[in-house]
Amino acid sequence: MPPCTPPTPPPEGEAEANIELARLAKALSHPARVTILRALLRRDTCVMGSIVDLLPLAQSTVSQHLKQLKQAGLIRGEIDGPRVCYCVEPEAIERLKALIQAL
Amino acid sequence: MPPCTPPTPPPEGEAEANIELARLAKALSHPARVTILRALLRRDTCVMGSIVDLLPLAQSTVSQHLKQLKQAGLIRGEIDGPRVCYCVEPEAIERLKALIQAL
DNA sequence: GCGTCATATCGCATATCGACGATAAACGAA
DNA sequence: TTCGTTTATCGTCGATATGCGATATGACGC
């Protein structure tokens, strides 16, 4: 007999939390995106050009990664003259931390 | 001028941490895998058959997801008679929590 | 207007993911 | 040994991810 406790009913709203966590985790599932997020958190950079310099990737590829981070709600892009200034969404980061910590 | 601090050199060993975090995040990047991990953490189930019952997926698909969780080091499978008993690797979970919290 | 700079998007190639059914492999019981 | 139960693997498929160069878009200065 395997060492298992009797099956408990899955807590309320767990399915939604699982989907939300999976979405956020997916956004972090590529080293380049983790690198970008960390750089933005350090506030080293916020402009595309300098983010590209951090990575061995083409500008278009970096733009795609930024798009994914934006779609996951982890970052935001504000138009700043001819550039776009990216910054993190602190609430989303906190949400991610909370979901992971609750595991 | 965008509101950026002067560029700081990236901390020591950050690239490795980014890769490690991306690997762990990738393992959690699918709702089914989050569901499985949570069930194992609750110790509701540990055998394939009951895990399959939790999900609207075929047995072979669940086996694939378990394989990915195992390859990421988040779970372990112990042969228990004709069955396999899966359980979480607490150290890996703690590592994940630490990496996320350090963001 | 025109050109320039910075960024986003398009189009394409390749690789990986996620799903399934079918089958193989391992084990206990009869 | 043979059968049934349980899990892993294989082969295949469509969908998605990742990368690039080329091109479109948008904002500014002239």
Side-chain angles (χ1 to χ4, degrees):
Chain A
M1 179 81 68
C4 288
T5 56
T8 350
E12 195 63 35
E14 181 181 300
E16 292 73 20
N18 290 348
I19 293 172
E20 187 185 3
L21 178 49
R23 265 181 60 88
L24 291 171
K26 191 172 196 171
L28 293 186
S29 70
H30 192 289
R33 289 195 289 271
V34 180
T35 302
I36 292 171
L37 192 65
R38 240 196 265 271
L40 293 180
L41 281 163
R42 273 200 311 268
R43 305 184 63 76
D44 281 359
T45 54
C46 49
V47 201
M48 260 288 303
S50 46
I51 296 175
V52 171
D53 293 341
L54 292 176
L55 298 162
L57 295 172
Q59 176 265 329
S60 60
T61 306
V62 174
S63 187
Q64 299 264 28
H65 285 304
L66 286 166
K67 187 179 182 180
Q68 286 180 253
L69 287 170
K70 211 187 322 183
Q71 283 177 341
L74 286 167
I75 67 173
R76 186 173 18 128
E78 291 174 4
I79 296 174
D80 175 48
R83 295 168 241 265
V84 178
C85 181
Y86 287 101
C87 50
V88 301
E89 289 277 11
E91 294 173 16
I93 303 287
E94 289 313 310
R95 178 72 180 147
L96 170 64
K97 289 184 180 179
L99 282 167
I100 291 286
Q101 221 58 25
L103 277 182
Chain B
M1 181 81 67
C4 289
T5 57
T8 349
E12 196 63 34
E14 182 182 299
E16 293 73 20
N18 290 347
I19 292 171
E20 187 185 3
L21 177 50
R23 265 181 61 90
L24 291 171
K26 192 171 193 172
L28 293 186
S29 70
H30 193 288
R33 291 194 287 271
V34 179
T35 302
I36 293 171
L37 192 66
R38 241 197 265 270
L40 293 179
L41 281 164
R42 273 200 310 267
R43 305 185 62 77
D44 281 357
T45 55
C46 50
V47 201
M48 260 288 303
S50 46
I51 297 175
V52 171
D53 293 341
L54 292 176
L55 298 162
L57 296 171
Q59 176 265 329
S60 59
T61 306
V62 174
S63 188
Q64 298 265 29
H65 285 305
L66 285 167
K67 187 179 183 180
Q68 286 181 253
L69 286 170
K70 212 186 321 180
Q71 283 178 340
L74 286 167
I75 68 173
R76 184 173 20 126
E78 289 174 6
I79 295 173
D80 175 47
R83 297 170 239 265
V84 178
C85 181
Y86 286 101
C87 51
V88 301
E89 288 279 11
E91 295 174 16
I93 303 286
E94 289 312 309
R95 179 69 181 147
L96 170 64
K97 288 184 180 180
L99 283 167
I100 290 286
Q101 222 57 26
L103 277 181

